[in-house]
Amino acid sequence: VGGLSFVIINTEPDRQRKAVEEFLRYTGFAYSDGFEDDRFRTCVLEAADSPAVLIRSRKTGTNPFSSFNTAPKAAHLPNTRLETFVFTTPDLGRYSSIQSSRGVYFQNSILDTGSMLFQQSIPSQFHGCSIGFVQWKGGSKNFRTPGCSSLDWEFVKPSSAHLNHIFELDHIATRVHAQHRDEAIIEFMELTNYNFSLAIYVKGFNSITSVARLSENDFAMVFTSGILPDIGQEDAGPTEQFIRNYGTRVHHLAFRTEEIDSTYRALVNDGMGFLLELVGSPEEGLQQTFSLGSPSTLLVNEYIQRYGGFDGFFTSGNVTLLTESTGRQ
């Protein structure tokens, strides 16, 4: 298994267009294609040297993720979540056979679109997301399905200069229960070629953030949980309280950013709300911030800039402030 190829974000049908517009307004991604088939309406967003983002909505059929979307602050959007992380493989047939023999269950048999072979696991019981696998059959990525038709939607990407300083997906962070932290990480590593890299504890907020990486140059997978389980106490901590309110799910998408001070100010001036101001400094090696959650996807945007060869995801000071800020959700 190779690196991340794309992610699938499902939205409510009446919020899909707004979700695409938000992505165009607040990231460096551009709209590259839109199509629909009998089951889905799909919009494709891409950026250079980045996994693609598919924003789609279901037209028919049951939603295998619906049982994970029932928490108090997410129940009004019963079809909305980042559902699937899709990784490359050079031989999907062999991969599927090996994992099936291990007892891994897939939602579908291998789908051949003509441009790719695709298969995805059933949602994880630990975080409610699926891990998908794609074998591309040509040099360029074509996400279209057999018999689909083009969407008549048109989008105009803002020409704002600060968007030129927001780049590829750097990492994505998923919230899991404390009692499922190890199982979630091990499950992910058994499905991919990723390895455990590091973990940082924030004891004051009952939080631990763990990172799995394929290499220092690839997209990273982040899992955040409580150190101790949520047993209904008032001081469960912001991570477990987030799960109490939103369920286990992806919390944020992080985008590599340059000129982050001016970019942050420009995003604020453009109406984007934030959970906290920019934290960190070039001297510490890192600056970053969290936006408010999107009303269309429930996802937070993180903007992150590293300095001087720093290759981590947070400093001890930053991670404390970032963890604290999620309590404002």
Side-chain angles (χ1 to χ4, degrees):
V1 180
L4 185 71
S5 185
F6 59 97
V7 298
I8 300 172
I9 301 170
N10 202 78
T11 67
E12 310 305 317
D14 62 343
R15 300 197 183 202
Q16 183 180 8
R17 190 177 185 115
K18 182 65 174 176
V20 175
E21 291 170 348
E22 289 175 0
F23 227 87
L24 296 176
R25 182 175 176 180
Y26 297 128
T27 78
F29 281 64
Y31 179 74
S32 62
D33 196 14
F35 57 92
E36 61 183 329
D37 53 28
D38 292 340
R39 295 189 61 202
F40 298 105
R41 185 172 60 196
T42 303
C43 296
V44 181
L45 297 103
E46 296 181 282
D49 302 318
S50 178
V53 175
L54 274 57
I55 298 179
R56 72 181 189 184
S57 60
R58 280 184 177 78
K59 297 169 63 176
T60 60
T62 58
N63 180 357
F65 301 88
S66 59
S67 63
F68 298 97
N69 298 334
T70 59
K73 290 191 176 182
H76 67 294
L77 300 176
N79 300 294
T80 297
R81 72 167 34 230
L82 192 157
E83 292 183 346
T84 309
F85 298 85
V86 183
F87 296 86
T88 61
T89 177
D91 189 342
L92 182 54
R94 178 160 172 74
Y95 176 88
S96 179
S97 176
I98 292 170
Q99 293 288 24
S100 295
S101 71
R102 294 184 54 247
V104 173
Y105 291 95
F106 293 94
Q107 290 187 44
N108 59 293
S109 57
I110 295 176
L111 173 67
D112 188 344
T113 70
S115 300
M116 65 177 175
L117 302 177
F118 174 77
Q119 190 173 37
Q120 68 184 83
S121 69
I122 62 173
S124 168
Q125 62 179 310
F126 306 121
H127 50 73
C129 299
S130 172
I131 308 299
F133 306 92
V134 62
Q135 179 181 343
W136 294 104
K137 299 173 72 173
S140 60
K141 295 179 181 179
N142 183 345
F143 296 95
R144 293 202 166 207
T145 54
C148 70
S149 58
S150 298
L151 285 181
D152 59 2
W153 290 0
E154 294 184 4
F155 296 97
V156 177
K157 184 167 180 65
S159 57
S160 307
H162 64 273
L163 297 180
N164 295 325
H165 304 303
I166 305 172
F167 301 98
E168 74 275 4
L169 275 174
D170 181 90
H171 65 273
I172 292 178
T174 302
R175 298 294 190 254
V176 298
H177 282 296
Q179 61 269 31
H180 295 151
R181 176 180 63 248
D182 291 350
E183 291 92 337
I185 297 169
I186 291 169
E187 176 189 64
F188 175 71
M189 292 193 297
E190 289 180 338
L191 289 171
T192 69
N193 203 21
Y194 276 57
N195 294 297
F196 180 79
S197 177
L198 61 97
I200 289 186
Y201 290 74
V202 184
K203 293 182 179 179
F205 291 117
N206 185 37
S207 181
I208 175 173
T209 296
S210 304
V211 178
R213 303 183 81 169
L214 183 63
S215 77
E216 292 183 358
N217 300 316
D218 286 282
F219 161 87
M221 192 75 162
V222 176
F223 297 90
T224 302
S225 75
I227 300 171
L228 299 174
D230 177 8
I231 55 174
Q233 69 272 40
E234 289 296 322
D235 59 348
T239 298
E240 293 289 335
Q241 287 174 348
F242 174 86
I243 296 173
R244 192 186 295 175
N245 287 322
Y246 292 92
T248 53
R249 64 172 56 237
V250 169
H251 175 261
H252 67 263
L253 283 66
F255 301 92
R256 183 178 68 85
T257 306
E258 294 180 356
E259 299 188 22
I260 196 168
D261 287 283
S262 60
T263 300
Y264 167 71
R265 291 194 298 271
L267 290 168
V268 171
N269 291 335
D270 194 32
M272 189 169 213
F274 286 85
L275 289 169
L276 77 168
E277 296 183 354
L278 199 62
V279 297
S281 67
E283 292 73 26
E284 295 172 277
L286 188 67
Q287 285 184 284
Q288 57 200 138
T289 187
F290 281 160
S291 75
L292 294 176
S294 162
S296 303
T297 66
L298 299 179
L299 293 166
V300 166
N301 284 359
E302 177 184 347
Y303 301 94
I304 181 170
Q305 180 169 1
R306 298 178 181 85
Y307 303 90
F310 187 95
D311 66 353
F313 299 87
F314 23 69
T315 64
S316 58
N318 282 14
V319 73
T320 299
L321 294 169
L322 292 165
T323 301
E324 180 185 23
S325 74
T326 63
R328 303 185 186 113
Q329 292 181 264

